[in-house]
Amino acid sequence: MKINSLSREDALRSLASSEHGLSGAEAARRLSENGPNEIRETRRTPLGMKFLKQFTHFLALLLWCGAGLSFLSDCINPGGNMSTLGFAIIGVIVINAVFTFIQEYRAEKALETLKKLLPFYVQVVRGGKDKKVHAYEIVPGDMIRLSEGDRIPADARLIESCVLRVNNSSLTGESEPLLRNHAPSQGELLESPNIVFAGTTVTSGSCKALVFATGMATEIGRIAHLTSAVESGLSPLQKEIIRTTRIIAFLATVIGFIFFVIGHFMGRVFWENFIFAIGVIVALVPEGMLPTVTLALAIASQRMAKRKALIKNLTSVETLGCVTVICTDKTGTLTQNNMAASRIWADSKMVETKDFRPQTSDMFMKIALVCNNARFTDSEYQGDPTEIALLKLAGKSIGDLGTERIAEIPFDPDRKRMTTVNRIGDREYIFTKGAMESIMPACSGFLLHGMKQRMDETFRKQAMAAYHELMDMGLRVLAFAYREHEMQRARDNHPENDVLKSDPTSPQSIETDLVFAGLIGLEDPPRPEVPAAIRKCHEAGIRVIMITGDGARTAAAIGREIGLIKGEPVVIEGAEFTTLDDRSLREKLSAKEVIFARMTPKHKMRVVSVLKEDGERVAVTGDGVNDAPALKKADIGIAMGISGTDVAKEASDMILLDDNFATIINAVEEGRAVFENIRKFIAYFFTSNVAELVPYITYVIFPVPLPLTIMQVLAIDLGTDLLPGLALGAEKPTKELMTLHPRSPQEKLLNAKILALVFLCLGPIEAAAGLFGFFHLLKQGGWQWGAIFPSGDILYMQATTACLTGIVIAQIANVFACRSSSESVFSMGFFTNRLIFAGIAFELALQAFIVYHPWGNTIFSTHPLSLATWLVLIPFAFVLFFADETRKAVARQTQLRRSSMSTLSR
């Protein structure tokens, strides 16, 4: 028989399990026998195919054409050494492919490692005790507990359930939550209401379930599409990198062709012009750009993880840098989520909790104790922080009552309350706690000194005044009520007859005619680092909007304490929110300071949608099941790693490992740094490209030998430049980053500012260093203007070596200049990026090999230089460095004057 048709006892017997679960030893044996509970990827691109793809992208194809033409020219015109160039270009393709493949592989592995920082744990009953185990340790026969927001780890048969709804969309595509119960059922497993499936989620209620299938034996394991169908797309930045690279490659090809034509009309032979055209193309093609962007994204994600922000995919890193609005929860994000009962209002008077003296029969504390899902097990409190605070308060006051819970109506954001039906002795009670505006209308009486009184307007006003007073203290306020349950219900062990457990709508009928017991104010202090983070947001041009389920006065009090609001904010509560059309909501959102209070997750979704329609780039935080749509809708969905549900984590782009708002700001800073670091890399490489291009232009315009050979160009682009350039991709965020307004996603990597810097300042200085070295050596050797050197001439090889060395020396200064577009290296600190020094050491070592080793001389047509030549070229590095420092100082002063004038005008 199928497990869904068996009774509870028969189901347990079929899997040799019990209500107390498996023993630890038996669970270990079954894990060894059945293997880990995981879905294995059934289709994955082989590493070999990934590697081969590196040889077929646009840049690689362009270089393949160059290599082919080189070999063709060597066949047609032997002796021109074109075959060496062809092999060199192939070497460029191979080096670039290997390096890009390694970086992408490391980035992929790093992402897998980061995801392991947030393991998926399950509450399981082992040997009669509740414990948390990793999901892959779940085995058939395990008894698991599931509650709202949990991701279901395996296929399981319900043993107990309480208003359980599950979302089977990952399995069936149907997004509507389905009501489940634990009664035996006939038919297929997929249609059975007493079966829950791996990969689906609990949207409300709770249950106890018996696992009968794990791993690839589950329904979703058989479908085997969980990870095999996942393909990572290109981010806007990666697309921009590819677009920029293709534009540059196209321009390089056009420029090469133009100068080929110019050379032809100037009377140069075909093969000289051809070598020149190939040289121009190779000089301008940014071969190292693709691996650098991958490295920058991977390093940023790893740095974010160290700062407690887990990025689920690399494409989200850059999006963080564009964020203009952060919609944040209050509890646990802006505050510490360390709840403690601070004030109590009962018997029409306010007292601090330390002064509260309840009697054993006090109904108020009974409600706090019993209408509560937190528990104290294994010497620690487990559960929601709010409920833990109530359990501590009530437990110390009246101890354990030994009650039996008959039914529960879970809390939900719309009702804003939770209700339980409990038996104490021979009586049944309905206990309710929740928001004041939800509890008070359901009350027909109130408790005063242990006696029930009829509700009147005087008491309502007193209670509301006390409620407002507690909220003004910044406290989360809960109201408590009860009534004796007189309805006797049949309990014949058929849960389908238990209306409270199977029908989530009818319990609302029992939440009436309640007796109001009192109020408790819970204190949740703001995180100490949040005020500084809020200031940082304001400086960075990022708006912060608080969206909370707490009352408006509580939200405003906390907002003032952390510096989120300074004046009189626009405060919108849930009741008002529902009456606003989109136009009115936009007007409200245009205010400088906005707070949304008593909001439900569906309200949050609407706020995010309106902000996005207005062109904002929105980051939103969430931790509950119903936050998932807003998390998916936002540009960046941010889930809580500690308090967040599995559903929220699945829907998010980033997970806060510490639930801290300040961590969001750190992540935004890293996101901004990624884009800037790519720009630094481009400026660094383009500077040397200009320095490489100028000698070729000089060669075409003037009757001089070619100052820099193609092999020497390749030595710069994929040799001496590569590691220092990559070190710029690992640069930490500069101070200036979080003083700038968010960039637009449409902003291009190549802008007029970078082009002016490269073509009007850094590039010409570096080109002058190379040409000075070239002509300085020629002059020392007695060269006459217009004279042409024979192949293998030592003076000519020394001169080209001096040109190469001048560019390399200037690039050492350039890597420091490119570390920031406006901040001085002296204020940044020379040694804050030690990878740069490693890159420079490699650069100098490679240059020494090229200049002084016989193999280097043979491959790159160089000749050893004297120390005097190096000393002549070194001043150019200082000229470049201090020229850029001067430019930065002028730019800072200009910006300062503009800021001062803007302040005065306001």
Side-chain angles (χ1 to χ4, degrees), residues 365-385:
M365 288 296 103
K366 287 179 182 178
I367 305 169
L369 181 70
V370 175
C371 186
N372 195 319
N373 284 328
R375 55 187 180 273
F376 185 74
T377 56
D378 296 330
S379 301
E380 66 174 357
Y381 287 96
Q382 296 179 356
D384 179 80

Side-chain angles (χ1 to χ4, degrees), residues 146 379 689 792 897:
L146 300 169
S379 301
N689 288 159
R897 282 197 298 272

Side-chain angles (χ1 to χ4, degrees), residues 63-83:
L63 292 173
W64 279 119
C65 290
L69 289 172
S70 298
F71 288 122
L72 178 64
S73 66
D74 189 70
C75 291
I76 297 173
N77 184 39
N81 219 22
M82 292 300 290
S83 62

Side-chain angles (χ1 to χ4, degrees), residues 7 11 24 60 72 123 160 193 199 206 208 259 324 347 359 372 396 404 450 647 653 657 673 698 744 766 787 847 880:
S7 67
L72 178 64
Q123 194 80 22
E160 296 176 4
S206 59
K208 190 176 179 181
F259 278 103
T324 58
D347 296 331
Q359 302 299 318
N372 195 319
K396 289 177 181 177
E404 176 192 355
V647 177
D653 304 292
L657 299 179
T698 304
S744 166
E766 201 164 288
Q847 183 63 15
L880 186 149

Side-chain angles (χ1 to χ4, degrees), residues 844-889:
L844 290 173
L846 180 59
Q847 183 63 15
F849 170 80
I850 292 170
V851 175
Y852 297 108
H853 197 281
W855 289 1
N857 296 157
T858 302
I859 295 169
F860 297 100
S861 301
T862 56
H863 196 82
L865 299 175
S866 65
L867 177 61
T869 303
W870 285 80
L871 293 175
V872 166
L873 295 173
I874 286 174
F876 283 94
F878 288 99
V879 170
L880 186 149
F881 178 79
F882 285 107
D884 193 62
E885 283 291 307
T886 303
R887 178 195 65 79
K888 290 175 183 176

Side-chain angles (χ1 to χ4, degrees), residues 706-758:
L706 182 62
L708 196 68
T709 67
I710 298 175
M711 292 297 294
Q712 290 165 357
V713 168
L714 294 177
I716 296 171
D717 286 355
L718 283 171
T720 58
D721 269 5
L722 195 56
L723 290 189
L726 290 173
L728 286 174
E731 190 75 40
K732 293 180 180 179
T734 58
K735 295 177 183 177
E736 65 187 17
L737 267 184
M738 294 304 284
T739 62
L740 305 173
H741 283 276
R743 67 175 179 84
S744 166
Q746 283 72 47
E747 186 174 339
K748 303 303 180 185
L749 280 167
L750 276 177
N751 58 20
K753 185 178 178 181
I754 289 180
L755 293 175
L757 175 65
V758 168

